[in-house]
Structures are given as structure tokens and as C-alpha cells.
């Protein structure tokens, strides 16, 4: 397995996919829109938004991905 540094958007998407959630379902569970989740994961810098800490905590709780992994700019995926 090759490990490489990842952006937070990639870690969010990885946690979501690993948990088997669609963007719509994850948004529903967090209490936000599908488009908000989509903007967290986008590679388009003009549309990208960073989730709030509260949303990252919810994401961690829902997917089981460690919060420190989500926040670590040097995290490996």
C-alpha cells in the first residue's frame, strides 16, 4: 500500500466512501445540504469550502474517522 499526503477534501471523501455514505446521506446525518458536502470535497478552488470544526466532529463521529486525522495537514491517506 502506498501512502501519500492528502488534502482535507480527500480525507473527507475517503471517510465518507469508507463508511458507505453518499454526499446526500452524510449531509442529512450532519444536518447540512448535499451541496455543502460536495463543496468540502471539490477540487475546484473557486468552489471549495472548509467545514467548521463542529461539522468535522460530526463527520468523525458518524464515519469513525479520527478527528486528529481529519485536521492533520500532513496526514497520510
Amino acid at each position: 500500500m502506498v501512502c501519500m499526503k492528502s488534502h482535507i477534501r480527500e480525507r473527507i471523501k475517503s471517510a465518507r466512501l469508507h463508511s458507505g455514505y453518499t454526499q446526500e446521506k452524510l449531509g442529512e446525518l450532519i444536518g447540512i445540504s448535499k451541496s455543502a458536502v460536495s463543496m468540502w470535497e471539490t477540487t475546484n478552488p473557486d468552489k471549495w469550502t472548509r467545514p467548521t470544526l463542529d461539522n468535522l466532529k460530526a463527520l468523525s463521529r458518524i464515519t469513525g474517522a479520527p478527528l486528529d486525522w481529519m485536521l492533520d495537514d500532513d496526514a497520510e491517506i
Side-chain angles (χ1 to χ4, degrees):
M1 179 174 151
V2 175
C3 291
M4 52 193 270
K5 288 184 181 179
S6 62
H7 295 280
I8 191 169
R9 68 177 175 263
E10 294 164 327
R11 294 188 300 273
I12 291 168
K13 185 174 183 177
S14 177
R16 177 180 63 78
L17 292 175
H18 183 75
S19 297
Y21 295 121
T22 63
Q23 289 178 341
E24 183 173 12
K25 184 62 179 178
L26 182 62
E28 181 183 307
L29 292 169
I30 294 174
I32 59 173
S33 66
K34 173 196 177 291
S35 63
V37 176
S38 176
M39 291 186 331
W40 296 346
E41 295 181 1
T42 187
T43 57
N44 181 339
D46 295 330
K47 296 189 184 250
W48 183 76
T49 60
R50 187 176 185 99
T52 66
L53 182 56
D54 286 340
N55 286 337
L56 282 173
K57 287 177 181 178
L59 178 66
S60 175
R61 181 178 37 79
I62 291 164
T63 64
L67 183 59
D68 59 340
W69 175 74
M70 294 293 226
L71 295 169
D72 185 355
D73 287 337
D74 291 325
E76 293 182 343
I77 197 163

